[in-house]
Amino acid sequence: MDRTSRVYFFGQWYIFGAMEHAPPPWQLALARIEGALPFLPAEVADALARASLRRLWRVHVRDFPQENQGPEHNPGPEAAELTRSWYAAERQDFLSWIGRRGPPPLARAARLTLAAKDARESFSGTFEAADRALERLDALLPAPVPLAALTEWLHQLRDHEVDFLEGGSEEVLIEGRVFQRFAARGSAWAASLAAAMRPQLFALGAAPLALAGLAPRALFRADPERPLPALLATAIGAAASDVATDLTAVTAMVARGEERLAGLYASSQASAMWQLIGGLGPLTRAELARALGVTRRTASQAATALEKADLATLRPGDHALAPKGAHRGS
């Protein structure tokens, strides 16, 4: 096709090179991702779903009102690392909810991670806010204009679900002195997770990905700094950029594994193990054995093969197998 060929995107025809106004950058970014999806090998698609799950956890930890955050209760540098985080109960709730509510590729990745961590599905009431946000979003689908649907959805949450709003600051009295502090966070984290569970909002169907961070806390301030559509467009653009980054990283990761393991006598599980740690992050041999459904001995043999291929290394502290040169998202 030439540059004036028409491309069908989000229910509208756009004529590139011949039209006067180009689509917004976030639409172009998502169009490129949509165009790449039919050509993804199964290994890359699975890895992308796992990387999306890993990124979702980082956003969740950032926005969720964890009780033990702060200088006196520092959770450690790996709190936002899905497979190594100390937030075990929160991770179990997070993975369980996505396993029930997520699109099939993301749900499989969540259940796989639960199995690796030897955790059962939980049904915590903490995620009721995410359920309510998802119900309101589903009532607006299908949406021919995603930005308009998301804007209406945000208005509904802001107007009718008061627990989503940010509280601003408040004064507290401590030992006779008055201090100002930020009030309790709202449930932006729940809205963000709900939006990430619906790639069909952007005509992506059951794509093996999640757009993380679509509903940042700035959208739920009493007086947003910019109009909601403008804030949403920025968030969508950032989320699309993150997906593109993860897609590039996992494609390179899968290709690197195929190249390094091709001429090496390795355990039959080495390739699968490489794709697991490349997508989800560092895992111990026991966790890998549970995820792959193999014995500890088989997992150890595969781990040794990855070390010999210079693909992974055992970390001295927690003995987790970590990929060398691994991509770490922002």
Short mmCIF file of all heavy atoms in Angstrom, two decimals, residues 1-61:
data_model
loop_
_atom_site.label_atom_id
_atom_site.label_comp_id
_atom_site.label_asym_id
_atom_site.label_seq_id
_atom_site.Cartn_x
_atom_site.Cartn_y
_atom_site.Cartn_z
N MET A 1 0.84 -1.20 0.00
CA MET A 1 0.00 0.00 0.00
C MET A 1 0.87 1.26 0.00
O MET A 1 1.92 1.27 0.61
CB MET A 1 -0.88 0.03 1.26
CG MET A 1 -1.92 -1.06 1.29
SD MET A 1 -2.97 -0.88 2.75
CE MET A 1 -4.06 -2.25 2.51
N ASP A 2 0.40 2.35 -0.70
CA ASP A 2 1.15 3.59 -0.65
C ASP A 2 0.73 4.40 0.56
O ASP A 2 -0.11 3.99 1.35
CB ASP A 2 0.95 4.40 -1.94
CG ASP A 2 -0.52 4.69 -2.19
OD1 ASP A 2 -1.26 4.77 -1.20
OD2 ASP A 2 -0.90 4.83 -3.36
N ARG A 3 1.34 5.58 0.69
CA ARG A 3 1.12 6.38 1.89
C ARG A 3 -0.29 6.92 2.00
O ARG A 3 -0.71 7.39 3.06
CB ARG A 3 2.12 7.55 1.93
CG ARG A 3 3.56 7.09 2.10
CD ARG A 3 4.48 8.27 2.22
NE ARG A 3 4.14 9.06 3.40
CZ ARG A 3 4.68 10.23 3.68
NH1 ARG A 3 5.55 10.76 2.84
NH2 ARG A 3 4.34 10.88 4.76
N THR A 4 -1.02 6.90 0.92
CA THR A 4 -2.40 7.39 0.98
C THR A 4 -3.41 6.27 1.19
O THR A 4 -4.61 6.50 1.15
CB THR A 4 -2.75 8.14 -0.31
OG1 THR A 4 -2.59 7.27 -1.42
CG2 THR A 4 -1.84 9.35 -0.50
N SER A 5 -2.88 5.05 1.40
CA SER A 5 -3.78 3.92 1.66
C SER A 5 -4.53 4.14 2.96
O SER A 5 -4.02 4.71 3.92
CB SER A 5 -2.98 2.62 1.74
OG SER A 5 -2.35 2.36 0.51
N ARG A 6 -5.73 3.66 2.97
CA ARG A 6 -6.56 3.86 4.16
C ARG A 6 -6.37 2.72 5.16
O ARG A 6 -6.27 1.56 4.78
CB ARG A 6 -8.04 3.95 3.74
CG ARG A 6 -8.34 5.20 2.93
CD ARG A 6 -9.81 5.39 2.69
NE ARG A 6 -10.36 4.31 1.87
CZ ARG A 6 -11.63 4.23 1.52
NH1 ARG A 6 -12.48 5.13 1.93
NH2 ARG A 6 -12.06 3.23 0.77
N VAL A 7 -6.32 3.11 6.42
CA VAL A 7 -6.13 2.15 7.51
C VAL A 7 -7.32 2.25 8.45
O VAL A 7 -7.66 3.34 8.93
CB VAL A 7 -4.82 2.45 8.28
CG1 VAL A 7 -4.64 1.44 9.40
CG2 VAL A 7 -3.63 2.37 7.32
N TYR A 8 -7.93 1.13 8.70
CA TYR A 8 -9.09 1.14 9.59
C TYR A 8 -8.60 1.10 11.04
O TYR A 8 -7.87 0.22 11.43
CB TYR A 8 -9.96 -0.08 9.34
CG TYR A 8 -11.28 -0.02 10.06
CD1 TYR A 8 -12.27 0.85 9.65
CD2 TYR A 8 -11.53 -0.84 11.15
CE1 TYR A 8 -13.47 0.91 10.30
CE2 TYR A 8 -12.74 -0.78 11.81
CZ TYR A 8 -13.71 0.09 11.37
OH TYR A 8 -14.90 0.15 12.03
N PHE A 9 -9.03 2.07 11.82
CA PHE A 9 -8.52 2.17 13.19
C PHE A 9 -9.59 2.76 14.09
O PHE A 9 -10.09 3.85 13.86
CB PHE A 9 -7.27 3.06 13.18
CG PHE A 9 -6.63 3.23 14.52
CD1 PHE A 9 -6.17 2.14 15.21
CD2 PHE A 9 -6.50 4.49 15.08
CE1 PHE A 9 -5.57 2.29 16.44
CE2 PHE A 9 -5.91 4.65 16.30
CZ PHE A 9 -5.44 3.55 16.99
N PHE A 10 -9.95 2.01 15.17
CA PHE A 10 -10.90 2.43 16.17
C PHE A 10 -12.24 2.85 15.56
O PHE A 10 -12.86 3.82 16.00
CB PHE A 10 -10.35 3.60 17.00
CG PHE A 10 -9.24 3.23 17.91
CD1 PHE A 10 -8.31 4.17 18.30
CD2 PHE A 10 -9.12 1.94 18.38
CE1 PHE A 10 -7.28 3.84 19.16
CE2 PHE A 10 -8.10 1.59 19.22
CZ PHE A 10 -7.18 2.54 19.61
N GLY A 11 -12.66 2.10 14.52
CA GLY A 11 -13.96 2.36 13.95
C GLY A 11 -14.03 3.56 13.03
O GLY A 11 -15.11 3.94 12.61
N GLN A 12 -12.87 4.18 12.71
CA GLN A 12 -12.87 5.34 11.82
C GLN A 12 -11.81 5.12 10.76
O GLN A 12 -10.83 4.44 10.96
CB GLN A 12 -12.56 6.62 12.59
CG GLN A 12 -13.55 6.90 13.71
CD GLN A 12 -13.16 8.16 14.46
OE1 GLN A 12 -12.61 9.07 13.90
NE2 GLN A 12 -13.46 8.16 15.74
N TRP A 13 -11.99 5.75 9.57
CA TRP A 13 -10.99 5.67 8.51
C TRP A 13 -10.11 6.91 8.58
O TRP A 13 -10.58 8.03 8.58
CB TRP A 13 -11.66 5.63 7.13
CG TRP A 13 -12.34 4.34 6.84
CD1 TRP A 13 -13.67 4.09 6.94
CD2 TRP A 13 -11.75 3.13 6.39
NE1 TRP A 13 -13.94 2.80 6.60
CE2 TRP A 13 -12.77 2.19 6.25
CE3 TRP A 13 -10.43 2.74 6.09
CZ2 TRP A 13 -12.56 0.89 5.83
CZ3 TRP A 13 -10.21 1.46 5.67
CH2 TRP A 13 -11.25 0.54 5.55
N TYR A 14 -8.79 6.64 8.63
CA TYR A 14 -7.83 7.74 8.59
C TYR A 14 -7.00 7.59 7.33
O TYR A 14 -6.55 6.49 7.02
CB TYR A 14 -6.90 7.71 9.81
CG TYR A 14 -7.60 7.97 11.10
CD1 TYR A 14 -7.91 6.90 11.95
CD2 TYR A 14 -7.96 9.25 11.47
CE1 TYR A 14 -8.56 7.14 13.15
CE2 TYR A 14 -8.60 9.48 12.66
CZ TYR A 14 -8.91 8.42 13.49
OH TYR A 14 -9.55 8.65 14.67
N ILE A 15 -6.77 8.66 6.59
CA ILE A 15 -5.98 8.60 5.36
C ILE A 15 -4.64 9.27 5.61
O ILE A 15 -4.53 10.49 5.69
CB ILE A 15 -6.71 9.30 4.20
CG1 ILE A 15 -8.11 8.71 4.06
CG2 ILE A 15 -5.92 9.15 2.91
CD1 ILE A 15 -8.93 9.37 2.97
N PHE A 16 -3.60 8.46 5.77
CA PHE A 16 -2.28 8.97 6.09
C PHE A 16 -1.67 9.63 4.85
O PHE A 16 -1.66 9.06 3.77
CB PHE A 16 -1.38 7.85 6.59
CG PHE A 16 -1.81 7.32 7.92
CD1 PHE A 16 -2.67 6.22 8.01
CD2 PHE A 16 -1.40 7.93 9.09
CE1 PHE A 16 -3.08 5.74 9.23
CE2 PHE A 16 -1.82 7.46 10.31
CZ PHE A 16 -2.65 6.37 10.39
N GLY A 17 -1.06 10.77 5.03
CA GLY A 17 -0.41 11.49 3.94
C GLY A 17 -1.37 12.35 3.14
O GLY A 17 -0.96 13.30 2.50
N ALA A 18 -2.65 12.01 3.15
CA ALA A 18 -3.59 12.79 2.36
C ALA A 18 -4.54 13.60 3.23
O ALA A 18 -5.25 14.46 2.75
CB ALA A 18 -4.40 11.86 1.46
N MET A 19 -4.58 13.29 4.53
CA MET A 19 -5.52 14.01 5.37
C MET A 19 -4.85 15.24 5.98
O MET A 19 -3.64 15.33 6.10
CB MET A 19 -6.06 13.10 6.46
CG MET A 19 -5.03 12.62 7.43
SD MET A 19 -5.75 11.44 8.56
CE MET A 19 -4.34 11.15 9.62
N GLU A 20 -5.66 16.17 6.38
CA GLU A 20 -5.14 17.44 6.87
C GLU A 20 -4.63 17.33 8.29
O GLU A 20 -3.62 17.94 8.64
CB GLU A 20 -6.24 18.50 6.77
CG GLU A 20 -5.77 19.89 7.20
CD GLU A 20 -6.87 20.91 7.03
OE1 GLU A 20 -7.93 20.54 6.49
OE2 GLU A 20 -6.67 22.06 7.44
N HIS A 21 -5.32 16.56 9.12
CA HIS A 21 -4.95 16.45 10.53
C HIS A 21 -4.66 14.99 10.87
O HIS A 21 -5.51 14.12 10.67
CB HIS A 21 -6.06 16.98 11.43
CG HIS A 21 -6.40 18.42 11.17
ND1 HIS A 21 -5.54 19.45 11.48
CD2 HIS A 21 -7.50 19.00 10.61
CE1 HIS A 21 -6.10 20.60 11.12
NE2 HIS A 21 -7.30 20.34 10.60
N ALA A 22 -3.48 14.73 11.39
CA ALA A 22 -3.10 13.38 11.78
C ALA A 22 -3.77 13.01 13.09
O ALA A 22 -4.11 13.88 13.90
CB ALA A 22 -1.58 13.28 11.92
N PRO A 23 -3.97 11.71 13.34
CA PRO A 23 -4.53 11.28 14.63
C PRO A 23 -3.59 11.66 15.77
O PRO A 23 -2.39 11.87 15.56
CB PRO A 23 -4.63 9.76 14.48
CG PRO A 23 -4.57 9.51 13.01
CD PRO A 23 -3.73 10.58 12.44
N PRO A 24 -4.10 11.73 17.00
CA PRO A 24 -3.24 12.01 18.15
C PRO A 24 -2.14 10.96 18.27
O PRO A 24 -2.30 9.82 17.84
CB PRO A 24 -4.21 11.94 19.34
CG PRO A 24 -5.56 12.18 18.75
CD PRO A 24 -5.51 11.58 17.37
N PRO A 25 -1.00 11.32 18.90
CA PRO A 25 0.12 10.39 19.01
C PRO A 25 -0.23 9.07 19.66
O PRO A 25 0.27 8.02 19.26
CB PRO A 25 1.14 11.19 19.85
CG PRO A 25 0.81 12.62 19.58
CD PRO A 25 -0.67 12.67 19.41
N TRP A 26 -1.12 9.10 20.68
CA TRP A 26 -1.44 7.84 21.36
C TRP A 26 -2.17 6.88 20.42
O TRP A 26 -1.99 5.66 20.52
CB TRP A 26 -2.26 8.08 22.64
CG TRP A 26 -3.61 8.69 22.46
CD1 TRP A 26 -3.94 10.01 22.53
CD2 TRP A 26 -4.84 7.99 22.20
NE1 TRP A 26 -5.28 10.18 22.33
CE2 TRP A 26 -5.86 8.96 22.13
CE3 TRP A 26 -5.17 6.65 22.03
CZ2 TRP A 26 -7.20 8.64 21.89
CZ3 TRP A 26 -6.50 6.32 21.79
CH2 TRP A 26 -7.50 7.29 21.73
N GLN A 27 -2.98 7.41 19.51
CA GLN A 27 -3.65 6.53 18.55
C GLN A 27 -2.65 5.89 17.59
O GLN A 27 -2.75 4.71 17.26
CB GLN A 27 -4.70 7.31 17.76
CG GLN A 27 -5.94 7.67 18.57
CD GLN A 27 -7.06 8.22 17.70
OE1 GLN A 27 -6.83 8.59 16.55
NE2 GLN A 27 -8.26 8.28 18.25
N LEU A 28 -1.67 6.66 17.15
CA LEU A 28 -0.65 6.11 16.27
C LEU A 28 0.17 5.05 16.98
O LEU A 28 0.50 4.00 16.41
CB LEU A 28 0.26 7.24 15.76
CG LEU A 28 -0.40 8.25 14.83
CD1 LEU A 28 0.57 9.39 14.51
CD2 LEU A 28 -0.86 7.58 13.54
N ALA A 29 0.51 5.30 18.25
CA ALA A 29 1.30 4.33 19.02
C ALA A 29 0.54 3.02 19.18
O ALA A 29 1.10 1.92 19.00
CB ALA A 29 1.66 4.91 20.39
N LEU A 30 -0.75 3.11 19.49
CA LEU A 30 -1.55 1.90 19.63
C LEU A 30 -1.79 1.21 18.30
O LEU A 30 -1.88 -0.02 18.23
CB LEU A 30 -2.88 2.23 20.30
CG LEU A 30 -2.80 2.54 21.81
CD1 LEU A 30 -4.16 3.00 22.33
CD2 LEU A 30 -2.32 1.33 22.59
N ALA A 31 -1.87 1.99 17.21
CA ALA A 31 -2.05 1.39 15.89
C ALA A 31 -0.83 0.55 15.51
O ALA A 31 -0.97 -0.52 14.91
CB ALA A 31 -2.26 2.48 14.85
N ARG A 32 0.36 1.02 15.86
CA ARG A 32 1.56 0.25 15.57
C ARG A 32 1.56 -1.07 16.36
O ARG A 32 1.95 -2.12 15.83
CB ARG A 32 2.81 1.07 15.91
CG ARG A 32 2.99 2.29 15.03
CD ARG A 32 4.32 2.96 15.29
NE ARG A 32 4.43 4.21 14.55
CZ ARG A 32 4.24 5.41 15.09
NH1 ARG A 32 3.93 5.52 16.38
NH2 ARG A 32 4.35 6.50 14.35
N ILE A 33 1.15 -1.00 17.61
CA ILE A 33 1.08 -2.21 18.43
C ILE A 33 0.04 -3.17 17.85
O ILE A 33 0.29 -4.38 17.72
CB ILE A 33 0.75 -1.86 19.89
CG1 ILE A 33 1.91 -1.08 20.51
CG2 ILE A 33 0.46 -3.12 20.70
CD1 ILE A 33 1.58 -0.47 21.86
N GLU A 34 -1.13 -2.63 17.50
CA GLU A 34 -2.19 -3.46 16.92
C GLU A 34 -1.70 -4.15 15.65
O GLU A 34 -1.98 -5.32 15.40
CB GLU A 34 -3.41 -2.61 16.63
CG GLU A 34 -4.59 -3.40 16.05
CD GLU A 34 -5.74 -2.50 15.66
OE1 GLU A 34 -5.54 -1.29 15.49
OE2 GLU A 34 -6.86 -3.03 15.48
N GLY A 35 -0.94 -3.42 14.84
CA GLY A 35 -0.44 -4.00 13.60
C GLY A 35 0.57 -5.10 13.82
O GLY A 35 0.70 -6.00 12.99
N ALA A 36 1.29 -5.04 14.94
CA ALA A 36 2.31 -6.05 15.21
C ALA A 36 1.72 -7.33 15.82
O ALA A 36 2.30 -8.41 15.66
CB ALA A 36 3.37 -5.48 16.17
N LEU A 37 0.59 -7.22 16.49
CA LEU A 37 0.05 -8.36 17.24
C LEU A 37 -0.18 -9.62 16.41
O LEU A 37 0.15 -10.73 16.85
CB LEU A 37 -1.25 -7.96 17.94
CG LEU A 37 -1.10 -6.96 19.10
CD1 LEU A 37 -2.47 -6.59 19.66
CD2 LEU A 37 -0.21 -7.53 20.19
N PRO A 38 -0.74 -9.55 15.19
CA PRO A 38 -0.98 -10.79 14.43
C PRO A 38 0.29 -11.54 14.05
O PRO A 38 0.22 -12.72 13.69
CB PRO A 38 -1.72 -10.29 13.16
CG PRO A 38 -2.27 -8.96 13.53
CD PRO A 38 -1.28 -8.37 14.47
N PHE A 39 1.43 -10.87 14.12
CA PHE A 39 2.67 -11.49 13.69
C PHE A 39 3.55 -11.97 14.85
O PHE A 39 4.67 -12.42 14.63
CB PHE A 39 3.46 -10.50 12.81
CG PHE A 39 2.66 -9.99 11.64
CD1 PHE A 39 2.07 -8.73 11.69
CD2 PHE A 39 2.47 -10.77 10.51
CE1 PHE A 39 1.32 -8.25 10.63
CE2 PHE A 39 1.73 -10.30 9.44
CZ PHE A 39 1.15 -9.04 9.50
N LEU A 40 3.04 -11.86 16.07
CA LEU A 40 3.85 -12.26 17.22
C LEU A 40 3.89 -13.78 17.34
O LEU A 40 2.84 -14.43 17.38
CB LEU A 40 3.27 -11.68 18.51
CG LEU A 40 3.25 -10.16 18.69
CD1 LEU A 40 2.76 -9.82 20.08
CD2 LEU A 40 4.62 -9.57 18.42
N PRO A 41 5.08 -14.38 17.44
CA PRO A 41 5.15 -15.81 17.75
C PRO A 41 4.55 -16.06 19.13
O PRO A 41 4.49 -15.15 19.97
CB PRO A 41 6.67 -16.08 17.75
CG PRO A 41 7.27 -14.95 16.98
CD PRO A 41 6.40 -13.77 17.23
N ALA A 42 4.11 -17.28 19.36
CA ALA A 42 3.45 -17.61 20.63
C ALA A 42 4.35 -17.30 21.82
O ALA A 42 3.88 -16.82 22.86
CB ALA A 42 3.06 -19.09 20.63
N GLU A 43 5.66 -17.58 21.68
CA GLU A 43 6.58 -17.35 22.79
C GLU A 43 6.66 -15.87 23.14
O GLU A 43 6.70 -15.48 24.31
CB GLU A 43 7.98 -17.87 22.46
CG GLU A 43 8.06 -19.38 22.24
CD GLU A 43 7.68 -19.78 20.82
OE1 GLU A 43 7.27 -18.90 20.03
OE2 GLU A 43 7.80 -20.98 20.51
N VAL A 44 6.66 -15.02 22.13
CA VAL A 44 6.74 -13.58 22.36
C VAL A 44 5.43 -13.07 22.96
O VAL A 44 5.43 -12.23 23.88
CB VAL A 44 7.05 -12.83 21.05
CG1 VAL A 44 6.98 -11.32 21.25
CG2 VAL A 44 8.45 -13.22 20.54
N ALA A 45 4.30 -13.58 22.48
CA ALA A 45 3.00 -13.16 23.02
C ALA A 45 2.90 -13.53 24.50
O ALA A 45 2.45 -12.72 25.32
CB ALA A 45 1.87 -13.81 22.23
N ASP A 46 3.31 -14.75 24.85
CA ASP A 46 3.27 -15.15 26.26
C ASP A 46 4.19 -14.28 27.11
O ASP A 46 3.82 -13.86 28.22
CB ASP A 46 3.70 -16.61 26.40
CG ASP A 46 2.64 -17.59 25.88
OD1 ASP A 46 1.48 -17.16 25.72
OD2 ASP A 46 2.99 -18.76 25.63
N ALA A 47 5.38 -14.00 26.59
CA ALA A 47 6.33 -13.18 27.33
C ALA A 47 5.81 -11.76 27.50
O ALA A 47 6.02 -11.13 28.55
CB ALA A 47 7.68 -13.17 26.62
N LEU A 48 5.12 -11.24 26.50
CA LEU A 48 4.56 -9.89 26.59
C LEU A 48 3.47 -9.82 27.66
O LEU A 48 3.40 -8.85 28.43
CB LEU A 48 3.99 -9.46 25.24
CG LEU A 48 3.36 -8.06 25.19
CD1 LEU A 48 4.38 -6.99 25.58
CD2 LEU A 48 2.80 -7.78 23.81
N ALA A 49 2.64 -10.85 27.75
CA ALA A 49 1.61 -10.88 28.78
C ALA A 49 2.24 -10.90 30.17
O ALA A 49 1.79 -10.21 31.09
CB ALA A 49 0.70 -12.10 28.59
N ARG A 50 3.31 -11.66 30.34
CA ARG A 50 3.99 -11.73 31.64
C ARG A 50 4.68 -10.41 31.98
O ARG A 50 4.65 -9.96 33.13
CB ARG A 50 4.99 -12.88 31.63
CG ARG A 50 4.33 -14.24 31.51
CD ARG A 50 5.32 -15.33 31.12
NE ARG A 50 4.62 -16.56 30.77
CZ ARG A 50 5.19 -17.59 30.16
NH1 ARG A 50 6.48 -17.53 29.82
NH2 ARG A 50 4.50 -18.67 29.88
N ALA A 51 5.30 -9.79 30.97
CA ALA A 51 5.93 -8.50 31.21
C ALA A 51 4.89 -7.44 31.55
O ALA A 51 5.14 -6.56 32.38
CB ALA A 51 6.73 -8.08 29.97
N SER A 52 3.72 -7.51 30.92
CA SER A 52 2.64 -6.58 31.25
C SER A 52 2.17 -6.76 32.68
O SER A 52 1.88 -5.79 33.39
CB SER A 52 1.46 -6.78 30.29
OG SER A 52 1.77 -6.35 28.99
N LEU A 53 2.08 -8.02 33.12
CA LEU A 53 1.68 -8.30 34.49
C LEU A 53 2.72 -7.73 35.46
O LEU A 53 2.37 -7.12 36.49
CB LEU A 53 1.56 -9.81 34.68
CG LEU A 53 1.09 -10.29 36.05
CD1 LEU A 53 -0.38 -9.91 36.26
CD2 LEU A 53 1.26 -11.80 36.18
N ARG A 54 3.97 -7.88 35.13
CA ARG A 54 5.06 -7.37 35.97
C ARG A 54 4.99 -5.85 36.06
O ARG A 54 5.17 -5.26 37.12
CB ARG A 54 6.39 -7.81 35.36
CG ARG A 54 7.63 -7.55 36.18
CD ARG A 54 8.83 -8.08 35.41
NE ARG A 54 10.08 -7.88 36.09
CZ ARG A 54 11.26 -8.12 35.55
NH1 ARG A 54 11.32 -8.61 34.31
NH2 ARG A 54 12.38 -7.90 36.22
N ARG A 55 4.71 -5.20 34.93
CA ARG A 55 4.60 -3.73 34.93
C ARG A 55 3.37 -3.29 35.72
O ARG A 55 3.40 -2.29 36.44
CB ARG A 55 4.54 -3.21 33.50
CG ARG A 55 4.57 -1.69 33.42
CD ARG A 55 4.58 -1.21 31.98
NE ARG A 55 5.83 -1.48 31.32
CZ ARG A 55 6.93 -0.73 31.42
NH1 ARG A 55 6.92 0.33 32.21
NH2 ARG A 55 8.02 -1.03 30.75
N LEU A 56 2.26 -4.00 35.57
CA LEU A 56 1.06 -3.66 36.32
C LEU A 56 1.32 -3.68 37.83
O LEU A 56 0.81 -2.84 38.57
CB LEU A 56 -0.07 -4.65 36.01
CG LEU A 56 -0.98 -4.35 34.83
CD1 LEU A 56 -1.95 -5.50 34.62
CD2 LEU A 56 -1.73 -3.05 35.05
N TRP A 57 2.12 -4.64 38.28
CA TRP A 57 2.45 -4.73 39.70
C TRP A 57 3.24 -3.50 40.15
O TRP A 57 3.00 -2.95 41.22
CB TRP A 57 3.21 -6.01 40.00
CG TRP A 57 3.70 -6.09 41.41
CD1 TRP A 57 4.98 -5.98 41.84
CD2 TRP A 57 2.91 -6.30 42.59
NE1 TRP A 57 5.05 -6.11 43.21
CE2 TRP A 57 3.78 -6.30 43.69
CE3 TRP A 57 1.54 -6.49 42.81
CZ2 TRP A 57 3.34 -6.48 45.01
CZ3 TRP A 57 1.10 -6.66 44.12
CH2 TRP A 57 1.99 -6.66 45.19
N ARG A 58 4.19 -3.05 39.32
CA ARG A 58 4.96 -1.87 39.68
C ARG A 58 4.05 -0.65 39.84
O ARG A 58 4.20 0.14 40.78
CB ARG A 58 6.03 -1.59 38.62
CG ARG A 58 7.18 -2.56 38.65
CD ARG A 58 8.37 -2.04 37.87
NE ARG A 58 8.13 -1.98 36.43
CZ ARG A 58 8.33 -2.99 35.60
NH1 ARG A 58 8.76 -4.16 36.06
NH2 ARG A 58 8.12 -2.86 34.30
N VAL A 59 3.10 -0.49 38.92
CA VAL A 59 2.17 0.63 39.01
C VAL A 59 1.27 0.47 40.24
O VAL A 59 0.97 1.44 40.94
CB VAL A 59 1.33 0.73 37.72
CG1 VAL A 59 0.22 1.78 37.86
CG2 VAL A 59 2.23 1.09 36.54
N HIS A 60 0.86 -0.76 40.51
CA HIS A 60 -0.02 -1.03 41.66
C HIS A 60 0.67 -0.67 42.97
O HIS A 60 0.08 -0.02 43.83
CB HIS A 60 -0.41 -2.51 41.64
CG HIS A 60 -1.36 -2.90 42.73
ND1 HIS A 60 -2.63 -2.42 42.82
CD2 HIS A 60 -1.20 -3.74 43.80
CE1 HIS A 60 -3.24 -2.94 43.87
NE2 HIS A 60 -2.39 -3.73 44.49
N VAL A 61 1.92 -1.09 43.12
CA VAL A 61 2.66 -0.78 44.34
C VAL A 61 2.86 0.73 44.49
O VAL A 61 2.81 1.28 45.59
CB VAL A 61 4.02 -1.52 44.35
CG1 VAL A 61 4.93 -1.00 45.45
CG2 VAL A 61 3.81 -3.02 44.52
#
